[in-house]
Amino acid sequence: MITLLIVYHSMTGGTRQMAEAAQAGAAAEPGVQVRLLHAAQAQPADVLAAQGYLFATPENLAAISGQMKDFFDRSYYAALDRINGRPYASLVCAGSDGHNAARQIERIATGWRLKAVAEPLIVCTHAQTPEAILAEKHIAAADLEACRALGEALATGLALGVF
């Protein structure tokens, strides 16, 4: 069985909604097991057992979230040189930009020698005040559809052996 691992962190629900939409799209592909894990629960063994990855994070202070960083810190060396060439994609829920978080994931994935199979999907919530930043997020249907489509494409590519 081919496994797609989706690792996410979310404080206000936006990134969780995006990861769940990607999971729903990926789950439509027969022959692919989709594992959705919160960054705090994901372990190096989960990384090693998967054939493809989707990393989903909010952008906090122009970086990936602390819990996503913790996941990568805990998993990086255990997986180094053991997952070379596997495909990945990323989702970023940002208040205004998201590109620094996407670059940070890209740098980590480059170190793991993963292969990017899609451009980072960045959803901008335009939250700029403390109240808006901390508020529960509601991701627009069109953005969730893009996340669903990315999950489906990643799973299909894994199932067909394209990646």
Side-chain angles (χ1 to χ4, degrees), residues 6-153:
I6 302 173
V7 179
Y8 78 98
H9 175 249
S10 187
M11 287 180 46
T12 61
T15 308
R16 178 188 45 75
Q17 292 168 53
M18 294 168 63
E20 288 173 349
Q23 176 190 29
E29 181 61 47
V32 176
Q33 173 190 25
V34 184
R35 298 199 59 219
L36 178 67
L37 294 177
H38 188 278
Q41 278 77 45
Q43 299 297 319
D46 300 311
V47 174
L48 294 171
Q51 288 71 51
Y53 312 96
L54 183 57
F55 304 116
T57 185
E59 183 174 63
N60 293 342
L61 303 172
I64 62 175
S65 71
Q67 288 213 12
M68 280 302 288
K69 175 76 166 63
D70 175 70
F71 157 72
F72 286 123
D73 286 345
R74 288 183 290 105
S75 303
Y76 189 81
Y77 292 106
L80 189 61
D81 286 330
R82 298 176 71 189
I83 58 173
N84 296 6
R86 294 182 190 178
Y88 87 96
S90 62
L91 301 171
V92 177
C93 186
S96 62
D97 184 63
H99 290 91
N100 281 339
R103 276 191 292 276
Q104 200 172 6
I105 290 173
E106 179 184 2
R107 290 184 65 148
I108 293 165
T110 297
W112 263 344
R113 294 163 192 83
L114 299 178
K115 179 174 69 172
V117 296
E119 291 294 317
L121 198 162
I122 299 171
V123 172
C124 187
T125 65
H126 304 287
Q128 295 299 301
T129 65
E131 297 78 20
I133 291 166
L134 295 173
E136 184 73 16
K137 302 298 182 287
H138 301 283
I139 304 301
D143 291 325
L144 292 176
E145 175 54 29
C147 295
R148 188 207 62 73
L150 178 58
E152 181 178 30

